[in-house]
Amino acid sequence: LIVTVVGVGVIGGSVGLAARRRLGATVRGLDPRAAAALAAGAIEEAHDDLAQALDGAQAAIVAVPVALLNDTVSSVLRAAPEDCVVSDVGSTKRGVVAAAADDPRFVGGHPLAGSELAGVEHASEDLFDGATWYLTPTPTTSGVLLERLHRMLTGLGAHPAALDADTHDRLMAAVSHLPHVLANVLVTQAAGALGGERVPAIGPSFRDATRVAGANPELWAGIYAANAEAIADQLDAAIARLGDVRDALRRGEDLTAWQRDAAGDRRALLEAGLAGGPLRELRAAVPNRTGVIARIALRLGEEGIGIADMVLSPSPDNTRGEIALWVPEHQADRGAEVLAELGFADGGWVA
Amino acid sequence: LIVTVVGVGVIGGSVGLAARRRLGATVRGLDPRAAAALAAGAIEEAHDDLAQALDGAQAAIVAVPVALLNDTVSSVLRAAPEDCVVSDVGSTKRGVVAAAADDPRFVGGHPLAGSELAGVEHASEDLFDGATWYLTPTPTTSGVLLERLHRMLTGLGAHPAALDADTHDRLMAAVSHLPHVLANVLVTQAAGALGGERVPAIGPSFRDATRVAGANPELWAGIYAANAEAIADQLDAAIARLGDVRDALRRGEDLTAWQRDAAGDRRALLEAGLAGGPLRELRAAVPNRTGVIARIALRLGEEGIGIADMVLSPSPDNTRGEIALWVPEHQADRGAEVLAELGFADGGWVA
């Protein structure tokens, strides 16, 4: 396996380390600080030239700063071989998926893992262990390449999960970008509320709620800009909800039921986030047609069914194939239904 | 030292345990579950009758649920001896201070410590170690009794800090109640954003930001109600700020500077929260007049000067006294200035 990492910082470097040590891959890197990446063991070949770096590669991971992401992905797709899957690690996906312009080799990616510390010196082999790694295939995505990427990410320790780019960005606006905006507002407001006064201590709920306030200004300004529309929508909704609470407080209403509803929502979210447990294998015969695997992965993702592993075996004449999917035991029945609904029988490929 | 704890749950029970073990106090308790408090060692005498429980007591701590707080404090003040300091542990202070109606024996209190778990079974001697314990004396508060309470709380392991009840409640609205409201909005909104879909994982920033969502519905509905006005004001301000961010996003503005400002505010708040380091003693001659000690404590609190310890020594004829205050070394010069501004010389009491 030859993997090319374009942009070898803490994320790209961790991909390189894990791919070398866990998959035995040959990892090439392209980065202005390639010497540091070599020294850290994250790559074993440093390249200046994109075509050379990608020559013969089976996978390319673009892990450059968000401002450079779309252009870099376009360049990588121009230079990459026909049989090379290209992915990225950006935290918003609509823009980069659009930039990839339906190229069957591209699958948007977003690992829910990171480090407070930037730079390849802080890369680590186990950064992705147990982490969800969102993938945003489209109907034009090659099934073979999606399966290769999925398997590679599983090998890095991650749990890949497919969803479409729009849903991904809306989801991130709600569960990541909005919390960052609210954290900023909280610290600014607390600083204002204290005015000239100083406080001897601040409670743990405030510390928890504001841990990410003001995080990495350049990075986060880029993320806000890349997902501006979805974040603005989330802010509209949050403003309306906060206004309702304020009005209820001013009317002297009892907020017990509201607080209890929030407890229920929190519990539901935590449960939805549960993973692990025993797996069951699902098999289906699928036509060898662009977009089929992506459609299966997306539909399972929509149902919240995590795909722990995925193996695609083509039929001898290459017109059909069999896909084997490992999903959590308790979701397997629903998974089989989904496959049937899509028109793919569970039970091995039929000649 | 005889201490009466009215309401012996996790907070009242921890006061009892620490007062018994660290101060050698005789601790009496009044609680419907007094048997459990006795079994946990939090009290050594259980009483049903308030007058008996308070007979001869030097300090009474009211730690009942917020809905019962104001009435209980009034009852305790009616039954308590002339020379007994009465305090509480409620998380808002304007209401209870008003209920105490300028009684010189009452000092509002609020320890920034707690437990997820209710009940005296979860009380612990070290719950207050290093915790800020806000006190809200008024101009009518007895200096002698304030000093006794201050010394007792220090003995429990806490760091008492004086501020007026209005400032306390405004501060709590900003650094505690608003974070709880925002956490609720975040979980509700995330649950909504996901709609029918389920997500395989939620990032750490969301978990941190929503840890307190839906916390203890009865308790928190009571806190919201007790501080409704200040929380509504904080919500007005938050809504305005969120609207500004939303508009900036829709205009495509760069938010780097905004993010950087939030980082600065966060740093300032964390630094303001720092404590510890070497202490210096300040001494001042003070007239034996109601409100003087409270005024000193409040002015030092306004300046953010923490009082690590406080000892009041009356002159032989009881018309004057000397107060010794231990404050952090780096704040001592300013502390001496504050004493001088108040008309109290630093340097021992003058005959």
Side-chain angles (χ1 to χ4, degrees), chain A residues 108-186:
Chain A
H110 176 205
L112 290 190
S115 165
E116 297 284 306
L117 301 165
V120 71
E121 295 79 4
H122 301 105
S124 85
E125 177 189 335
D126 56 9
L127 184 65
F128 309 113
D129 280 348
T132 293
W133 192 311
Y134 287 117
L135 294 178
T136 61
T138 72
T140 61
T141 303
S142 153
V144 172
L145 295 184
L146 173 59
E147 183 245 2
R148 184 191 300 161
L149 179 64
H150 193 287
R151 196 142 30 86
M152 174 176 139
L153 300 182
T154 304
L156 302 185
H159 299 310
L163 75 180
D164 70 89
D166 275 3
T167 303
H168 173 275
D169 286 4
R170 192 159 39 81
L171 185 59
M172 286 301 120
V175 305
S176 171
H177 310 158
L178 182 61
H180 278 76
V181 170
L182 294 183
N184 287 1
V185 167
L186 273 174

Coordinates of all heavy atoms in Angstrom, one line a residue, chain A residues 108-186:
Chain A
G108 N -15.0 12.7 0.6 CA -14.7 13.7 1.6 C -14.6 12.9 3.0 O -15.3 12.0 3.2
G109 N -13.7 13.4 3.8 CA -13.5 12.8 5.1 C -13.4 13.8 6.2 O -13.0 14.9 6.0
H110 N -13.7 13.4 7.4 CA -13.6 14.2 8.6 C -13.4 13.4 9.9 O -14.4 12.9 10.4 CB -14.8 15.2 8.7 CG -14.7 16.0 10.0 ND1 -15.9 16.5 10.6 CD2 -13.7 16.4 10.8 CE1 -15.5 17.2 11.6 NE2 -14.2 17.2 11.8
P111 N -12.2 13.2 10.3 CA -12.0 12.4 11.6 C -12.4 13.3 12.8 O -12.0 14.4 12.9 CB -10.5 12.1 11.6 CG -9.9 13.2 10.7 CD -10.9 13.6 9.8
L112 N -13.1 12.7 13.7 CA -13.5 13.4 15.0 C -12.3 13.2 16.0 O -12.5 12.5 17.0 CB -14.8 13.0 15.5 CG -16.1 13.4 14.8 CD1 -17.3 13.0 15.6 CD2 -16.1 14.8 14.4
A113 N -11.2 13.7 15.6 CA -10.0 13.5 16.5 C -9.1 14.7 16.2 O -9.1 15.2 15.1 CB -9.3 12.2 16.2
G114 N -8.3 15.0 17.1 CA -7.5 16.2 16.9 C -6.6 16.4 18.1 O -6.6 15.5 19.0
S115 N -5.9 17.4 18.1 CA -4.9 17.7 19.1 C -5.0 19.2 19.4 O -5.2 20.0 18.5 CB -3.5 17.3 18.7 OG -2.6 17.8 19.6
E116 N -4.8 19.6 20.6 CA -4.7 21.0 21.0 C -3.4 21.6 20.3 O -3.3 22.7 20.1 CB -4.6 21.2 22.5 CG -5.8 20.7 23.3 CD -6.9 21.7 23.2 OE1 -6.7 22.9 23.4 OE2 -8.0 21.3 22.8
L117 N -2.5 20.7 20.1 CA -1.1 21.1 19.6 C -1.0 20.9 18.1 O -1.3 19.8 17.7 CB -0.1 20.3 20.4 CG -0.2 20.5 21.9 CD1 0.6 19.5 22.7 CD2 0.2 21.9 22.4
A118 N -0.5 21.9 17.5 CA -0.3 21.7 16.0 C 1.1 21.2 15.7 O 2.0 21.2 16.6 CB -0.5 23.1 15.4
G119 N 1.3 20.7 14.5 CA 2.7 20.3 14.1 C 2.9 18.8 14.2 O 2.4 18.1 15.1
V120 N 3.7 18.3 13.2 CA 3.9 16.9 13.1 C 4.6 16.3 14.3 O 4.5 15.1 14.6 CB 4.7 16.6 11.8 CG1 6.2 17.1 12.0 CG2 4.7 15.1 11.5
E121 N 5.3 17.2 15.1 CA 5.9 16.7 16.4 C 4.9 16.1 17.3 O 5.3 15.3 18.2 CB 6.7 17.9 17.1 CG 7.8 18.4 16.3 CD 7.4 19.4 15.2 OE1 6.2 19.7 15.0 OE2 8.3 19.8 14.4
H122 N 3.6 16.5 17.2 CA 2.6 16.0 18.1 C 1.7 15.0 17.5 O 0.7 14.6 18.1 CB 1.7 17.2 18.6 CG 2.6 18.3 19.3 ND1 2.9 19.5 18.8 CD2 3.2 18.2 20.5 CE1 3.6 20.1 19.6 NE2 3.9 19.4 20.7
A123 N 2.1 14.5 16.3 CA 1.4 13.4 15.7 C 1.6 12.1 16.5 O 2.6 11.9 17.2 CB 1.9 13.2 14.3
S124 N 0.5 11.3 16.5 CA 0.7 10.0 17.2 C 0.0 8.9 16.5 O -1.1 9.1 15.9 CB 0.2 10.1 18.7 OG -1.1 9.9 18.8
E125 N 0.5 7.7 16.6 CA 0.0 6.6 15.9 C -1.5 6.3 16.3 O -2.3 5.8 15.6 CB 0.8 5.3 16.2 CG 0.3 4.0 15.6 CD 1.2 2.8 16.1 OE1 2.3 3.0 16.5 OE2 0.6 1.7 16.1
D126 N -1.8 6.5 17.6 CA -3.1 6.1 18.1 C -4.1 7.3 18.2 O -5.1 7.2 18.9 CB -2.9 5.5 19.5 CG -2.2 6.4 20.5 OD1 -2.0 7.6 20.1 OD2 -1.8 5.9 21.6
L127 N -3.9 8.4 17.5 CA -4.8 9.5 17.5 C -6.2 9.1 17.1 O -7.2 9.7 17.6 CB -4.3 10.6 16.6 CG -5.1 11.9 16.6 CD1 -5.0 12.6 18.0 CD2 -4.6 12.9 15.5
F128 N -6.3 8.2 16.2 CA -7.7 7.9 15.7 C -8.3 6.7 16.3 O -9.4 6.3 16.0 CB -7.6 7.7 14.2 CG -6.9 8.8 13.5 CD1 -5.7 8.6 12.9 CD2 -7.4 10.1 13.5 CE1 -5.0 9.6 12.2 CE2 -6.8 11.1 12.9 CZ -5.5 10.9 12.2
D129 N -7.7 6.1 17.3 CA -8.2 4.9 18.0 C -9.6 5.2 18.5 O -9.8 6.0 19.4 CB -7.3 4.4 19.1 CG -6.1 3.6 18.6 OD1 -6.1 3.3 17.4 OD2 -5.2 3.4 19.4
G130 N -10.6 4.4 18.0 CA -12.0 4.5 18.5 C -12.7 5.8 18.0 O -13.9 6.0 18.3
A131 N -12.0 6.6 17.2 CA -12.7 7.9 16.8 C -13.6 7.7 15.6 O -13.3 6.9 14.6 CB -11.6 8.9 16.4
T132 N -14.7 8.4 15.6 CA -15.6 8.4 14.4 C -14.8 9.1 13.3 O -14.2 10.2 13.5 CB -16.9 9.0 14.7 OG1 -17.6 8.2 15.6 CG2 -17.7 9.2 13.4
W133 N -14.9 8.6 12.0 CA -14.3 9.3 10.9 C -15.4 9.4 9.8 O -15.7 8.4 9.2 CB -13.1 8.5 10.4 CG -12.2 9.2 9.4 CD1 -12.6 9.9 8.3 CD2 -10.8 9.3 9.4 NE1 -11.6 10.4 7.6 CE2 -10.4 10.1 8.3 CE3 -9.8 8.8 10.3 CZ2 -9.1 10.4 8.0 CZ3 -8.5 9.1 10.0 CH2 -8.1 9.9 8.9
Y134 N -16.0 10.6 9.7 CA -17.1 10.8 8.8 C -16.6 10.7 7.4 O -15.5 11.2 7.1 CB -17.8 12.1 9.0 CG -18.6 12.1 10.2 CD1 -18.3 13.0 11.3 CD2 -19.7 11.3 10.3 CE1 -19.1 13.0 12.4 CE2 -20.5 11.3 11.5 CZ -20.2 12.2 12.5 OH -21.0 12.2 13.6
L135 N -17.3 10.0 6.5 CA -17.0 10.0 5.1 C -18.3 10.5 4.3 O -19.4 10.2 4.7 CB -16.7 8.6 4.6 CG -15.4 8.0 5.2 CD1 -15.2 6.5 4.7 CD2 -14.2 8.8 4.8
T136 N -18.1 11.3 3.3 CA -19.2 11.9 2.6 C -19.2 11.5 1.1 O -18.9 12.3 0.2 CB -19.2 13.4 2.7 OG1 -18.0 13.9 2.1 CG2 -19.3 13.8 4.2
P137 N -19.4 10.2 0.8 CA -19.4 9.8 -0.6 C -20.6 10.4 -1.3 O -21.6 10.8 -0.6 CB -19.6 8.2 -0.5 CG -20.2 8.0 0.8 CD -19.7 9.1 1.7
T138 N -20.6 10.4 -2.6 CA -21.7 10.9 -3.4 C -22.1 9.8 -4.4 O -21.4 8.8 -4.5 CB -21.3 12.1 -4.2 OG1 -20.4 11.7 -5.3 CG2 -20.5 13.2 -3.4
P139 N -23.2 10.0 -5.1 CA -23.6 9.0 -6.0 C -22.6 8.7 -7.1 O -22.7 7.6 -7.8 CB -24.9 9.6 -6.6 CG -25.4 10.5 -5.6 CD -24.2 11.1 -4.9
T140 N -21.6 9.5 -7.3 CA -20.6 9.3 -8.4 C -19.4 8.6 -7.8 O -18.5 8.3 -8.5 CB -20.2 10.6 -9.1 OG1 -19.6 11.4 -8.1 CG2 -21.3 11.3 -9.7
T141 N -19.3 8.4 -6.5 CA -18.1 7.8 -5.9 C -17.9 6.4 -6.3 O -18.9 5.6 -6.2 CB -18.2 7.9 -4.3 OG1 -18.4 9.3 -4.0 CG2 -17.0 7.4 -3.6
S142 N -16.7 6.0 -6.6 CA -16.4 4.6 -6.9 C -16.5 3.7 -5.7 O -15.9 4.0 -4.6 CB -14.9 4.5 -7.4 OG -14.4 3.3 -7.1
G143 N -17.3 2.7 -5.8 CA -17.4 1.7 -4.7 C -16.1 1.1 -4.3 O -15.9 0.9 -3.1
V144 N -15.3 0.7 -5.2 CA -14.1 0.0 -4.9 C -13.2 0.9 -4.1 O -12.6 0.5 -3.1 CB -13.4 -0.4 -6.2 CG1 -12.0 -0.9 -5.9 CG2 -14.2 -1.5 -7.0
L145 N -13.1 2.2 -4.5 CA -12.2 3.1 -3.8 C -12.8 3.5 -2.5 O -12.0 3.7 -1.5 CB -12.0 4.4 -4.7 CG -11.3 4.1 -6.0 CD1 -11.0 5.4 -6.8 CD2 -9.9 3.4 -5.8
L146 N -14.1 3.6 -2.3 CA -14.7 3.9 -1.0 C -14.4 2.8 -0.1 O -14.0 3.0 1.1 CB -16.2 4.1 -1.2 CG -17.0 4.2 0.1 CD1 -16.5 5.4 1.0 CD2 -18.5 4.3 -0.1
E147 N -14.5 1.5 -0.6 CA -14.2 0.4 0.3 C -12.8 0.4 0.7 O -12.4 0.1 1.8 CB -14.6 -0.9 -0.5 CG -14.4 -2.2 0.4 CD -13.3 -3.1 -0.2 OE1 -12.7 -2.7 -1.2 OE2 -13.1 -4.1 0.4
R148 N -11.9 0.7 -0.2 CA -10.4 0.7 0.1 C -10.2 1.8 1.2 O -9.5 1.5 2.2 CB -9.6 1.1 -1.1 CG -8.1 1.0 -0.8 CD -7.3 1.6 -1.9 NE -7.5 0.9 -3.1 CZ -7.2 1.3 -4.4 NH1 -6.7 2.6 -4.5 NH2 -7.4 0.6 -5.4
L149 N -10.8 2.9 1.1 CA -10.6 4.0 2.1 C -11.1 3.6 3.4 O -10.5 3.7 4.5 CB -11.2 5.3 1.6 CG -11.1 6.5 2.6 CD1 -9.7 6.9 2.7 CD2 -12.0 7.7 2.1
H150 N -12.3 3.0 3.4 CA -13.0 2.5 4.6 C -12.1 1.5 5.3 O -11.9 1.6 6.5 CB -14.4 1.9 4.2 CG -15.3 1.7 5.4 ND1 -15.1 0.7 6.3 CD2 -16.4 2.3 5.7 CE1 -16.1 0.7 7.2 NE2 -16.9 1.7 6.9
R151 N -11.6 0.6 4.6 CA -10.7 -0.4 5.2 C -9.5 0.2 5.8 O -9.0 -0.2 6.9 CB -10.4 -1.5 4.2 CG -9.9 -2.8 4.8 CD -10.4 -4.1 4.1 NE -10.7 -3.8 2.7 CZ -9.8 -3.9 1.7 NH1 -8.5 -4.3 2.0 NH2 -10.1 -3.7 0.5
M152 N -8.9 1.1 5.0 CA -7.7 1.7 5.5 C -7.9 2.5 6.8 O -7.1 2.4 7.7 CB -7.2 2.7 4.4 CG -6.0 3.5 4.8 SD -5.4 4.5 3.4 CE -5.1 6.1 4.2
L153 N -9.0 3.2 6.8 CA -9.3 4.0 8.1 C -9.6 3.1 9.2 O -9.2 3.4 10.4 CB -10.5 5.0 7.8 CG -10.3 6.0 6.7 CD1 -11.5 6.9 6.5 CD2 -9.1 6.8 6.9
T154 N -10.3 2.0 9.0 CA -10.5 1.0 10.1 C -9.1 0.5 10.6 O -8.9 0.4 11.8 CB -11.3 -0.1 9.6 OG1 -12.6 0.4 9.0 CG2 -11.7 -1.1 10.7
G155 N -8.2 0.3 9.6 CA -6.9 -0.1 10.0 C -6.1 0.9 10.8 O -5.2 0.6 11.6
L156 N -6.4 2.2 10.6 CA -5.8 3.2 11.4 C -6.4 3.3 12.8 O -5.9 4.1 13.7 CB -6.0 4.6 10.7 CG -5.4 4.8 9.3 CD1 -5.6 6.3 8.9 CD2 -4.0 4.4 9.2
G157 N -7.5 2.6 13.1 CA -8.1 2.5 14.4 C -9.4 3.3 14.4 O -10.1 3.3 15.5
A158 N -9.8 3.9 13.3 CA -11.0 4.8 13.3 C -12.3 3.9 13.0 O -12.2 2.8 12.5 CB -10.9 5.9 12.3
H159 N -13.5 4.5 13.3 CA -14.7 4.0 12.9 C -15.3 4.9 11.8 O -15.9 5.9 12.1 CB -15.7 4.0 14.1 CG -15.2 3.2 15.3 ND1 -14.8 1.9 15.1 CD2 -15.1 3.4 16.6 CE1 -14.4 1.4 16.3 NE2 -14.6 2.3 17.2
P160 N -15.2 4.5 10.6 CA -15.8 5.3 9.5 C -17.3 5.3 9.5 O -17.9 4.3 9.9 CB -15.3 4.6 8.2 CG -14.2 3.7 8.6 CD -14.5 3.3 10.0
A161 N -17.9 6.4 9.2 CA -19.4 6.5 9.2 C -19.8 7.4 8.0 O -19.3 8.5 7.9 CB -19.9 7.1 10.5
A162 N -20.6 6.9 7.1 CA -21.0 7.7 5.9 C -22.2 8.5 6.1 O -23.2 8.1 6.8 CB -21.2 6.7 4.8
L163 N -22.1 9.8 5.7 CA -23.3 10.6 5.6 C -23.1 11.6 4.5 O -22.0 11.8 4.0 CB -23.7 11.2 6.9 CG -22.9 12.4 7.5 CD1 -23.4 12.8 8.8 CD2 -21.4 12.1 7.6
D164 N -24.2 12.2 4.0 CA -24.0 13.2 2.9 C -23.4 14.5 3.4 O -23.6 14.8 4.6 CB -25.2 13.3 2.1 CG -26.3 14.1 2.8 OD1 -26.3 15.3 2.8 OD2 -27.1 13.4 3.5
A165 N -22.8 15.2 2.5 CA -22.0 16.4 2.9 C -22.9 17.5 3.5 O -22.6 18.1 4.5 CB -21.3 17.0 1.7
D166 N -24.2 17.6 3.0 CA -25.1 18.6 3.6 C -25.4 18.3 5.0 O -25.4 19.1 5.9 CB -26.4 18.6 2.8 CG -26.3 19.5 1.6 OD1 -25.2 20.1 1.4 OD2 -27.3 19.7 0.9
T167 N -25.8 17.0 5.3 CA -26.1 16.6 6.6 C -24.9 16.7 7.5 O -25.0 17.2 8.7 CB -26.6 15.1 6.6 OG1 -27.7 15.0 5.7 CG2 -27.0 14.6 8.0
H168 N -23.7 16.3 7.0 CA -22.5 16.5 7.8 C -22.4 17.9 8.3 O -22.1 18.2 9.5 CB -21.3 16.0 7.0 CG -20.0 16.3 7.7 ND1 -19.4 17.6 7.7 CD2 -19.3 15.6 8.5 CE1 -18.3 17.5 8.4 NE2 -18.2 16.3 9.0
D169 N -22.5 18.9 7.4 CA -22.2 20.2 7.7 C -23.3 20.8 8.7 O -22.9 21.6 9.6 CB -22.1 21.1 6.5 CG -20.8 20.8 5.7 OD1 -20.0 19.9 6.2 OD2 -20.5 21.5 4.7
R170 N -24.5 20.4 8.5 CA -25.6 20.8 9.4 C -25.3 20.3 10.8 O -25.5 20.9 11.8 CB -26.9 20.3 8.8 CG -28.1 20.9 9.4 CD -29.4 20.8 8.5 NE -29.5 19.5 7.8 CZ -29.9 18.4 8.4 NH1 -30.3 18.4 9.6 NH2 -30.0 17.3 7.7
L171 N -25.0 19.0 10.8 CA -24.7 18.3 12.1 C -23.5 19.0 12.8 O -23.6 19.3 14.0 CB -24.3 16.9 11.7 CG -24.1 15.9 12.8 CD1 -25.3 15.8 13.7 CD2 -23.7 14.5 12.2
M172 N -22.5 19.3 12.1 CA -21.3 19.9 12.7 C -21.7 21.3 13.2 O -21.2 21.7 14.2 CB -20.1 20.0 11.7 CG -19.5 18.6 11.5 SD -18.8 17.9 13.0 CE -19.7 16.4 13.1
A173 N -22.5 22.0 12.4 CA -22.9 23.3 12.9 C -23.6 23.2 14.2 O -23.4 24.0 15.1 CB -23.9 24.0 11.9
A174 N -24.4 22.1 14.4 CA -25.2 22.0 15.7 C -24.3 21.5 16.8 O -24.4 21.9 17.9 CB -26.4 21.1 15.5
V175 N -23.4 20.5 16.5 CA -22.7 19.8 17.6 C -21.3 20.3 17.8 O -20.7 19.9 18.8 CB -22.8 18.3 17.5 CG1 -24.2 17.8 17.4 CG2 -21.9 17.8 16.4
S176 N -20.8 21.1 16.9 CA -19.4 21.6 17.1 C -19.3 23.1 17.0 O -18.8 23.7 17.8 CB -18.5 20.8 16.1 OG -17.2 21.4 16.1
H177 N -19.8 23.6 15.8 CA -19.5 25.0 15.6 C -20.4 25.9 16.5 O -19.9 26.9 17.1 CB -19.8 25.3 14.1 CG -19.1 24.4 13.2 ND1 -19.4 24.2 11.9 CD2 -18.0 23.6 13.4 CE1 -18.6 23.2 11.4 NE2 -17.8 22.9 12.3
L178 N -21.6 25.6 16.7 CA -22.5 26.3 17.6 C -21.9 26.3 19.1 O -21.8 27.4 19.7 CB -23.9 25.8 17.6 CG -24.9 26.6 18.5 CD1 -25.0 28.0 18.1 CD2 -26.3 25.9 18.4
P179 N -21.5 25.1 19.6 CA -20.8 25.2 20.9 C -19.6 26.1 21.0 O -19.4 26.8 22.0 CB -20.4 23.7 21.2 CG -21.3 22.9 20.3 CD -21.7 23.8 19.1
H180 N -18.9 26.2 19.9 CA -17.7 27.1 19.9 C -18.2 28.6 20.0 O -17.7 29.4 20.7 CB -16.8 26.9 18.7 CG -15.9 25.8 18.9 ND1 -16.2 24.4 18.8 CD2 -14.5 25.7 19.2 CE1 -15.2 23.7 19.0 NE2 -14.1 24.4 19.2
V181 N -19.2 28.9 19.2 CA -19.7 30.3 19.2 C -20.3 30.6 20.6 O -20.0 31.7 21.1 CB -20.8 30.5 18.1 CG1 -21.5 31.8 18.3 CG2 -20.2 30.3 16.7
L182 N -21.1 29.7 21.2 CA -21.7 29.9 22.5 C -20.6 30.1 23.6 O -20.7 30.9 24.5 CB -22.6 28.8 22.9 CG -23.9 28.7 22.0 CD1 -24.8 27.6 22.6 CD2 -24.7 30.0 21.9
A183 N -19.5 29.3 23.5 CA -18.4 29.4 24.4 C -17.8 30.8 24.4 O -17.5 31.4 25.4 CB -17.4 28.3 24.2
N184 N -17.6 31.3 23.1 CA -17.1 32.7 23.0 C -18.0 33.7 23.6 O -17.5 34.6 24.4 CB -16.9 33.0 21.5 CG -15.7 32.3 20.9 OD1 -15.1 31.5 21.5 ND2 -15.5 32.5 19.6
V185 N -19.3 33.6 23.4 CA -20.2 34.5 23.9 C -20.2 34.5 25.5 O -20.2 35.5 26.1 CB -21.6 34.3 23.4 CG1 -22.7 35.0 24.2 CG2 -21.7 34.7 21.9
L186 N -20.1 33.3 26.0 CA -20.1 33.1 27.5 C -18.9 33.8 28.1 O -19.0 34.5 29.1 CB -20.0 31.6 27.8 CG -21.4 30.9 28.0 CD1 -21.1 29.4 28.2 CD2 -22.1 31.5 29.1

